[in-house]
Amino acid sequence: MDFNFIIENIPKYLEAMKLTVSIGIMGIIFSILIGIICALILYYKVPVIKQVVEIYIELSRNTPLVIQLFFLYFGLPKIGITFNSYICAVLGLSFLGGSYMCEAFRSGLESVTKGQRESGLSIGLTESQLITNVILPQAFTVSFPAIAANIIFLLKETSVIGILALMELMYLTRDLIGLYYKTNESLFMLVAAYLIIILPVSFILTVIERRIRYATVGN
């Protein structure tokens, strides 16, 4: 193990980590927003749009992220729509993650009994108040374990975005191996970088999940 090589390339990995985390955070935020909107559409069975969401979920969950990224980066320009690599990476991650988040939120929404909705309407709550104050908080509590798992999943999926020539962790690792043939050292730094990113997130999500569980049991 060449530790001098590792030390020399730590700054490059730090820069790649920043890019990876940036794309991961943006993808997760948009995935959650897409998931909530799609789950509500399915929950309320909105005509036509419900069928569109169902098609989106099947398409997203049954095609690899790499295919989706290729379509965004190489396919859309054929019809005059062009995005840079960063935006394509965020869009691809959001497109994939949105379907998984939708399923997570939908399971939470379905756990809220119809009686609670009817009770809310009977005391004069509007539909929007019912969603924000009654339905979504309970749904979030139930679906949080699945949401947390999806967040970790999406952070791992950032390893694919290197195909867009973005200098993220996987792309940098392949680049260093190709240039210097330092396979063990490069892979060691890759693993270390992902552990540094994912382990704290996993720990925080676990703590939040436990607190939610204890609060639910306490109530």
Side-chain angles (χ1 to χ4, degrees):
M1 187 74 74
D2 187 347
F3 289 102
N4 288 328
F5 177 82
I6 292 175
I7 293 171
E8 289 173 3
N9 286 281
I10 284 177
K12 293 181 181 178
Y13 272 86
L14 290 176
E15 288 300 316
M17 284 174 64
K18 290 179 184 178
L19 179 60
T20 299
V21 170
S22 172
I23 293 172
I25 290 174
M26 295 299 293
I28 289 166
I29 291 172
F30 286 118
S31 294
I32 291 173
L33 292 175
I34 293 170
I36 292 173
I37 294 170
C38 290
L40 287 172
I41 290 171
L42 294 177
Y43 179 73
Y44 284 102
K45 297 180 173 60
V46 181
V48 182
I49 303 178
K50 175 179 178 291
Q51 284 71 34
V52 174
V53 170
E54 289 173 344
I55 293 172
Y56 154 65
I57 291 172
E58 291 301 318
L59 180 64
S60 174
R61 288 168 65 92
N62 291 291
T63 55
L65 178 58
V66 64
I67 302 295
Q68 298 170 16
L69 292 174
F70 266 112
F71 175 77
L72 289 169
Y73 193 66
F74 298 106
L76 290 182
K78 301 294 183 182
I79 58 174
I81 303 174
T82 304
F83 298 111
N84 62 38
S85 299
Y86 184 89
I87 293 177
C88 283
V90 172
L91 287 176
L93 207 60
S94 303
F95 184 81
L96 176 68
S99 61
Y100 284 91
M101 291 296 184
C102 174
E103 292 299 302
F105 279 113
R106 181 164 67 167
S107 65
L109 289 171
E110 290 176 350
S111 70
V112 181
T113 61
K114 293 182 178 179
Q116 294 189 55
R117 184 171 182 273
E118 292 170 355
S119 298
L121 293 173
S122 67
I123 61 174
L125 292 179
T126 63
E127 197 65 47
S128 60
Q129 290 174 328
L130 190 64
I131 292 172
T132 55
N133 299 319
V134 179
I135 296 176
L136 279 181
Q138 293 184 68
F140 180 78
T141 299
V142 173
S143 58
F144 186 81
I147 294 170
N150 288 336
I151 289 173
I152 299 299
F153 165 72
L154 290 174
L155 286 174
K156 293 178 181 177
E157 283 296 291
T158 56
S159 61
V160 179
I161 61 180
I163 64 167
L164 302 180
L166 285 167
M167 191 58 76
E168 48 77 55
L169 289 169
M170 186 63 74
Y171 187 93
L172 175 62
T173 300
R174 290 198 302 263
D175 196 40
L176 292 178
I177 292 174
L179 288 172
Y180 303 105
Y181 301 100
K182 298 287 187 178
T183 303
N184 293 335
E185 293 82 355
S186 299
L187 291 177
F188 170 78
M189 287 189 284
L190 174 66
V191 172
Y194 268 106
L195 287 176
I196 291 171
I197 293 171
I198 293 176
L199 283 180
V201 175
S202 179
F203 175 76
I204 292 170
L205 292 174
T206 300
V207 171
I208 295 173
E209 182 181 343
R210 287 176 179 172
R211 290 188 177 182
I212 290 174
R213 189 186 309 125
Y214 292 152
T216 304
V217 172
N219 293 331

